């Protein structure tokens, strides 16, 4: 940062009190206001479980991409006019695992790491300490501290797109851990949502979902949300449990035809269950896919030592204020 722009690092460890992402088989609790077109694959009156189709084969190559992020420190600026803006210094990383289903082999195909200082401060500059650099990502509005973590998603998504584009080949299937959001234009791409927060379907259609057997999916429907897109639920291999145990939601681009969306839904049913985790290996089983779990561990290690980075930021802030 420039000599005239001061900032202060909050002494509170940003990891303290981190939000807990609820999982399990309880299912979505909050009804969604999104418009739903349930007649895409079957009329809503004829909804039933869809089994694996015999003529559908899994792709030779599946790419699974994921990203992780961490807040290294909360900061505050001191503006020349006496005002102050909150900010967060964050590290994030993205990577892709290439699964060759024909050979039964998986390998890390690429990773990238990024950092940033996210704030609405008009005077904030990049934080540089030796080889460590936090470029400024200026957010719009007043930049409330509670909203700043969400600002990291944009650069992280861009990193995920870049790392997956670098290794894509014709005929592969790309599975994104989480909603597609701005990645809807990527070809042969699925968004994989393992934790359900919103209830999109009415009670009768939801009963079809909760009645799925492992290895079955519901018919494709279309969501009228801001990002839009086709979607469907499928149940991964799971031994009993609650009505939503092992159920994940999958989505694809709204720019596809209905036939193309149904084709991807069939492809997901012969592909995703083979990556399902088991309870003795992962407490988020079976939804947390085995390649994704390994990728997350690798990416978190690449973020660097959180305590060391917090000290680096604190030292940089003290140096600027002298």
């Amino acid at each position: 940062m420039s000599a005239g722009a001061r900032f202060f690092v909050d002494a509170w460890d940003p990891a303290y009190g981190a939000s807990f992402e609820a999982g399990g088989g309880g299912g979505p609790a909050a009804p969604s206001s999104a418009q739903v077109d349930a007649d895409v694959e079957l009329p809503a009156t004829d909804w039933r479980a869809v089994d694996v189709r015999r003529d559908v084969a899994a792709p030779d190559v599946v790419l699974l991409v994921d990203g992780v992020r961490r807040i290294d420190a909360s900061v505050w600026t001191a503006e020349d006019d006496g005002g102050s803006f909150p900010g967060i210094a964050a590290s994030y990383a993205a990577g892709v695992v290439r699964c060759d289903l024909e050979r039964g082999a998986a390998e890390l195909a690429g990773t990238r790491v990024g950092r940033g200082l996210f704030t609405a401060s008009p005077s904030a500059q990049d934080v540089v300490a030796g080889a460590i650099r936090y470029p400024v990502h200026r957010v719009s509005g007043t930049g409330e501290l509670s909203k700043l973590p969400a600002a990291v998603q944009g650069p992280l998504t861009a990193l995920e797109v870049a790392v997956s584009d670098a290794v894509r080949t014709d005929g592969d299937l790309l599975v994104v851990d989480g909603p597609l959001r701005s990645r809807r234009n990527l070809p042969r791409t699925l968004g994989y949502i393992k934790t359900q927060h919103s209830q999109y379907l009415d009670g009768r259609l939801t009963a079809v979902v909760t009645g799925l057997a492992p290895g079955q999916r519901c018919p494709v429907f279309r969501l009228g949300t801001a990002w839009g897109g086709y979607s469907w639920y499928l149940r991964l291999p799971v031994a009993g449990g609650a009505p939503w145990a092992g159920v994940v939601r999958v989505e694809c681009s709204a720019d596809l035809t209905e036939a193309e969306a149904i084709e991807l839904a069939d492809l997901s049913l012969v592909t995703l269950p083979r990556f399902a985790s088991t309870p003795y290996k992962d407490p988020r089983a079976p939804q947390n896919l085995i390649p994704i779990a390994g990728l997350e561990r690798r990416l978190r290690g690449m973020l660097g030592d959180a305590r060391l980075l917090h000290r680096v930021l604190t030292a940089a802030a003290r140096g600027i204020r002298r």
Side-chain angles (χ1 to χ4, degrees), residues 59-293:
D60 293 334
V61 174
V62 179
L63 302 174
L64 295 104
V65 63
D66 193 17
V68 299
R69 55 187 175 180
R70 184 188 67 206
I71 299 176
D72 297 330
S74 299
V75 307
W76 293 87
T77 67
E79 306 297 322
D80 291 339
D81 62 2
S84 180
F85 288 88
I88 57 172
S91 296
Y92 47 94
V96 59
V97 177
R98 184 182 189 276
C99 299
D100 189 324
L101 302 187
E102 189 174 7
R103 293 192 299 116
E107 61 182 2
L108 186 63
T111 59
R112 297 192 185 186
V113 177
R115 306 188 198 278
L117 176 64
F118 297 82
T119 179
S121 166
S123 66
Q125 300 295 324
D126 298 355
V127 177
V128 182
I132 304 298
R133 184 182 186 91
Y134 287 84
V136 169
H137 292 262
R138 216 170 309 277
V139 302
S140 59
T142 56
E144 298 97 322
L145 184 60
S146 62
K147 297 182 179 180
L148 291 178
V152 185
Q153 186 60 50
L156 175 55
T157 296
L159 213 60
E160 292 177 357
V161 171
V163 75
S164 56
D165 280 350
V167 298
R168 295 212 71 174
T169 57
D170 292 338
D172 63 16
L173 177 68
L174 179 65
V175 179
V176 174
D177 189 51
L180 286 179
R181 295 191 178 95
S182 58
R183 295 166 287 201
R184 292 178 301 167
N185 62 324
L186 300 179
R188 289 174 64 83
T189 300
L190 300 176
Y192 177 82
I193 299 92
K194 55 180 175 280
T195 302
Q196 311 308 318
H197 298 291
S198 299
Q199 184 171 320
Y200 295 108
L201 306 174
D202 63 31
R204 189 178 60 81
L205 300 184
T206 296
V208 174
V209 175
T210 57
L212 294 173
Q216 292 182 327
R217 66 172 177 85
C218 77
V220 174
F221 57 95
R222 187 164 184 161
L223 287 174
T225 58
W227 289 111
Y230 297 99
S231 193
W232 58 95
Y233 294 96
L234 64 82
R235 192 185 296 273
L236 299 171
V238 64
W244 286 85
V247 173
V248 298
R249 186 171 67 85
V250 188
E251 62 182 25
C252 64
S253 173
D255 296 333
L256 301 174
T257 65
E258 292 183 354
E260 290 171 331
I262 294 169
E263 180 182 348
L264 280 176
D266 286 335
L267 202 58
S268 73
L269 197 55
V270 298
T271 304
L272 296 177
R274 67 179 62 203
F275 298 122
S277 52
T278 53
Y280 76 91
K281 289 185 177 180
D282 192 326
R284 292 181 290 172
Q287 287 96 322
N288 201 37
L289 304 181
I290 292 174
I292 292 294

